[in-house]
Amino acid sequence: MLFYHPQKRLYGYKHMAFLNNYIHHFTKCATGIVLIAGFFCQNVFGAALVTPRLSIGTTYTDNLFLTDENEEHDFITTVSPEFNVSLIGRQSELSLDYLPSYAMYSRFSEYNTLRHTANMNAETRLSRHMHVVINDNFTRTEAPVTDIDAAMTEVDTTVRQGRHTYYTNTAGIDLINEFGRENSLGLGYAHYFIENSDPTLEDSQYHQPSVFLNYWLVPNKLGTEWEAAYTKRHFDTSENYNDTSGRLRIIRQFSPHFDAYLEYIHEWTDYEEDGIDYQVYNPLMGLTWEKSDHMTLSASAGWFYQDSENGDSESGASGTLSALYDGRRGTAASLTGAAGYDRADGGAENLGFNQFYSVSGRINQSFGRRLSGNLSASYQINTYKEVQPERDDALYQAGTGLTFQALSWMTVALSYTYRMLDSDVEQNDYTENRGLITISVGPRQPFRL
């Protein structure tokens, strides 16, 4: 049965509301993009570059619904035309990318669906020192997790099982005024929402105005970064909250390739009704070192302290570690680590405040003009403090892939991904092996209009 759920009648209402909201939001997004495109087009005096592409791929998964028991396998074939339009002018740039993808299931055809991914990035100068940056990212899919190397606008560390459709949209606008080579003042606004067709999952959204200031007290020697944001988060069933955060960084530049900084982050979380309010104090110190044109190292270390209104508190290490290498012989590698705190409330579950540790690495290697490969692995553990009892989720991921430029207009890609989740909640555990083959065709150069 299509979109089966034990509460059949309730799910029918939820499904209809989901479709109506999906059409409503997608129409608003499309209308906004058209209006923005029109605004930018009137300032474009250069070229329009159009790049069409078509991809056909088949994915095999041995755990379609990401369950601990009664695992089901399937082959999923996707047909994905892609269109990218870039408008380039004297004062403006606009990039529109749209990727519809029809997914066809071999065994579970009731989940056949049309996925959508749309991205818009635009920038225009209003004057010599002032410019506007606008972006919007929309996704509709039934896939519970993204590819291991995919960049997500809002990372979801919670557990999503099944193949119910959902869609997200993140939009933002920044007005930036530059009053010096390194000094700038900006105002921003961001809006995010997620809506699920599964009635057991909670929809949410937030509005976030922000302001930032980058100012160098002594050029090339001593600089500062100031940032403040206010977030109003709304949920369908959970309690709404308001969050105010601020960040101050003092930078000492010792050379064009080395600088160090001190940073302090403060956050206030205020629930609208009966939730437990808290504050987080997080001092840090860090450095950035560009050893050469091919190597960059950065690191920070600190300690956060969460002070709750009821007297309970949490504390732990915070910081980042990043090493990036881009060699001359087609080798690129990265190693990153992070520790700190976050809020898990913008995805499949609303789990609130959590502490995390993560490490990941990736190697890209070129084997010639036509063949390249990659190898990646990551580990992250999240401790969710606001759920009772406390819950730990450990996620292990590893993957590898090959890309072959068969013809100047055709690319063949193979990839394999292993993913395992080990959770205190046994029904959340799963292990998945996934393989993918994709053939993409498209012109070597975009069409110039």
Side-chain angles (χ1 to χ4, degrees):
M1 181 180 294
L2 184 63
F3 298 122
Y4 172 79
H5 190 272
Q7 298 176 351
K8 180 179 179 183
R9 187 175 180 184
L10 173 63
Y11 196 90
Y13 293 146
K14 170 80 172 183
H15 183 53
M16 289 303 297
F18 174 81
L19 288 177
N20 291 334
N21 288 335
Y22 165 67
I23 295 171
H24 173 67
H25 286 300
F26 188 78
T27 302
K28 289 201 302 182
C29 293
T31 303
I33 289 175
V34 171
L35 292 176
I36 293 170
F39 170 74
F40 279 85
C41 283
Q42 67 179 350
N43 295 314
V44 171
F45 303 97
L49 305 178
V50 180
T51 307
R53 182 169 293 275
L54 176 65
S55 299
I56 300 176
T58 297
T59 300
Y60 170 79
T61 173
D62 65 354
N63 193 354
L64 182 67
F65 303 109
L66 302 183
T67 56
D68 186 33
E69 298 178 350
N70 302 319
E71 299 177 359
E72 298 285 356
H73 70 276
D74 207 341
F75 289 89
I76 308 169
T77 300
T78 56
V79 180
S80 310
E82 181 178 5
F83 308 93
N84 177 268
V85 179
S86 297
L87 303 177
I88 303 173
R90 298 176 182 176
Q91 302 294 331
S92 304
E93 292 185 10
L94 172 65
S95 176
L96 299 173
D97 191 81
Y98 177 51
L99 176 63
S101 179
Y102 189 70
M104 296 170 285
Y105 288 72
S106 177
R107 299 182 63 215
F108 295 87
S109 59
E110 63 268 29
Y111 293 105
N112 292 357
T113 189
L114 182 62
R115 303 170 180 173
H116 297 277
T117 300
N119 300 290
M120 185 275 296
N121 295 281
E123 181 175 357
T124 186
R125 284 204 167 270
L126 303 179
S127 65
R128 180 180 177 183
H129 301 290
M130 185 173 293
H131 64 281
V132 178
V133 178
I134 304 172
N135 58 77
D136 190 276
N137 303 279
F138 177 87
T139 300
R140 179 189 186 270
T141 183
E142 87 294 352
V145 293
T146 58
D147 292 333
I148 187 173
D149 58 350
M152 295 188 65
T153 306
E154 179 157 308
V155 177
D156 184 8
T157 59
T158 59
V159 178
R160 178 185 295 274
Q161 296 175 320
R163 288 278 164 169
H164 303 294
T165 53
Y166 61 98
Y167 61 93
T168 67
N169 192 83
T170 305
I173 180 170
D174 293 294
L175 177 64
I176 303 170
N177 180 49
E178 300 169 344
F179 54 99
R181 190 177 66 177
E182 298 178 302
N183 302 330
S184 59
L185 172 65
L187 298 174
Y189 171 77
H191 177 248
Y192 167 83
F193 68 78
I194 180 170
E195 297 212 10
N196 302 276
S197 63
D198 186 346
T200 64
L201 301 181
E202 184 170 31
D203 304 335
S204 67
Q205 64 172 313
Y206 70 71
H207 301 268
Q208 185 183 76
S210 60
V211 59
F212 70 86
L213 171 66
N214 298 331
Y215 183 72
W216 284 77
L217 303 172
V218 181
N220 302 320
K221 293 291 185 181
L222 185 64
T224 60
E225 294 180 1
W226 307 72
E227 185 177 4
Y230 175 79
T231 304
K232 188 174 183 62
R233 177 81 74 166
H234 174 78
F235 303 92
D236 276 0
T237 57
S238 300
E239 182 178 349
N240 302 335
Y241 74 86
N242 303 315
D243 187 88
T244 305
S245 61
R247 181 180 69 89
L248 168 63
R249 176 180 290 189
I250 301 175
I251 307 167
R252 176 66 169 92
Q253 188 174 37
F254 295 95
S255 74
H257 304 287
F258 178 75
D259 61 66
Y261 61 86
L262 296 174
E263 184 172 277
Y264 177 70
I265 302 172
H266 198 106
E267 184 174 343
W268 298 265
T269 298
D270 179 23
Y271 286 92
E272 294 185 354
E273 296 179 4
D274 301 325
I276 300 174
D277 302 339
Y278 63 84
Q279 299 185 53
V280 179
Y281 310 85
N282 187 196
L284 295 144
M285 60 186 304
L287 58 88
T288 302
W289 179 31
E290 295 181 5
K291 185 177 180 180
S292 65
D293 293 338
H294 307 286
M295 174 70 77
T296 301
L297 301 173
S298 63
S300 66
W303 194 264
F304 76 85
Y305 176 77
Q306 182 204 30
D307 183 17
S308 297
E309 195 176 58
N310 64 355
D312 296 334
S313 63
E314 301 289 343
S315 62
S318 64
T320 59
L321 174 65
S322 175
L324 304 176
Y325 172 76
D326 188 2
R328 298 177 179 177
R329 298 183 178 180
T331 302
S334 65
L335 177 65
T336 60
Y341 65 94
D342 200 357
R343 290 193 63 100
D345 54 10
E349 302 175 275
N350 179 14
L351 302 177
F353 185 88
N354 67 281
Q355 185 177 356
F356 71 90
Y357 297 92
S358 68
V359 62
S360 64
R362 184 179 178 88
I363 298 176
N364 295 329
Q365 178 65 54
S366 175
F367 302 105
R369 294 193 329 175
R370 294 179 178 272
L371 183 65
S372 62
N374 64 78
L375 182 66
S376 59
S378 68
Y379 167 77
Q380 178 165 333
I381 183 168
N382 293 78
T383 301
Y384 300 103
K385 302 289 188 177
E386 292 190 13
V387 297
Q388 295 298 327
E390 286 189 7
R391 167 179 148 190
D392 288 338
D393 285 1
L395 180 63
Y396 305 81
Q397 296 185 109
T400 186
L402 288 173
T403 302
F404 178 61
Q405 189 75 43
L407 298 169
S408 61
W409 47 270
M410 183 174 71
T411 302
V412 180
L414 299 170
S415 67
Y416 165 76
T417 302
Y418 169 82
R419 180 182 284 105
M420 183 182 75
L421 179 69
D422 183 13
S423 175
D424 289 345
V425 181
E426 292 186 4
Q427 59 264 33
N428 289 342
D429 294 347
Y430 69 84
T431 300
E432 183 197 22
N433 293 278
R434 180 154 50 97
L436 171 65
I437 179 171
T438 304
I439 299 175
S440 300
V441 296
R444 295 180 58 185
Q445 301 292 334
F447 297 108
R448 185 182 181 92
L449 305 179

